[in-house]
Amino acid sequence: MNQDRACGLQALLHRLQLSFDELGKKDWVIISTALTHTSAGLEANHEELEFLGDAVLRLACAEFLEEQNPKLSVGERSAFRAQLVSDRWLAELAAELELDGLIRQGAATAADTTARATVRAECCEALVGAVYLA
């Protein structure tokens, strides 16, 4: 991992309020993998962590809605959860976390402005999965 990427990942950990010292080498690899989009053409990429991150977010959201709004019907909770755990929200969170400079992706994807939000959302969701594992 190059020095700039390592510094960027360290800054991200600080924004996530995670301690650099608490993470082992395996955790660094998982977080780096979460920020590697499939378009980069690397074997280790975000896809599996994105799947896990989606499940973690849905569970956390479901628990939150159950605790805060127990009288909502299942349908109402589902609709509310879908709004809370949306690609739009994930892309906004990724921008807030300043993930753009940390995401490894293919040149064509990086140049596609319409794909930018999707890539952000996917890698942000993968980051949730990575943090869950770390």
Side-chain angles (χ1 to χ4, degrees):
M1 181 180 319
N2 71 33
Q3 189 67 24
D4 288 341
R5 183 162 176 78
C7 288
L9 288 174
Q10 208 166 353
L12 172 63
L13 291 178
H14 180 73
R15 289 189 294 276
L16 295 173
Q17 298 180 347
L18 293 173
S19 169
F20 173 78
D21 296 328
E22 292 174 2
L23 297 178
K25 184 176 181 177
K26 178 183 150 202
D27 298 325
W28 276 101
V29 170
I30 291 170
I31 289 170
S32 182
T33 299
L35 298 172
T36 302
H37 192 262
T38 52
S39 65
L42 300 173
E43 186 176 333
N45 61 59
H46 78 290
E47 282 188 320
E48 288 185 28
L49 290 166
E50 180 188 6
F51 180 78
L52 176 61
D54 179 64
V56 169
L57 283 170
R58 288 176 179 273
L59 176 60
C61 189
E63 286 181 347
F64 174 80
L65 290 171
E66 179 63 30
E67 289 173 9
Q68 299 299 314
N69 300 291
K71 294 186 182 196
L72 289 177
S73 71
V74 172
E76 290 169 323
R77 278 183 266 160
S78 271
F80 199 18
R81 183 184 64 195
Q83 290 176 20
L84 291 173
V85 185
S86 67
D87 281 354
R88 182 175 148 220
W89 177 79
L90 287 163
E92 289 173 8
L93 179 59
E96 208 172 294
L97 291 172
E98 301 173 18
L99 296 186
D100 282 346
L102 297 174
I103 296 173
R104 287 188 280 193
Q105 58 188 308
T109 306
D112 185 350
T113 56
T114 58
R116 189 168 294 140
T118 300
V119 170
R120 277 186 190 139
E122 289 175 0
C123 288
C124 187
E125 202 164 44
L127 183 61
V128 169
V131 169
Y132 174 79
L133 290 177

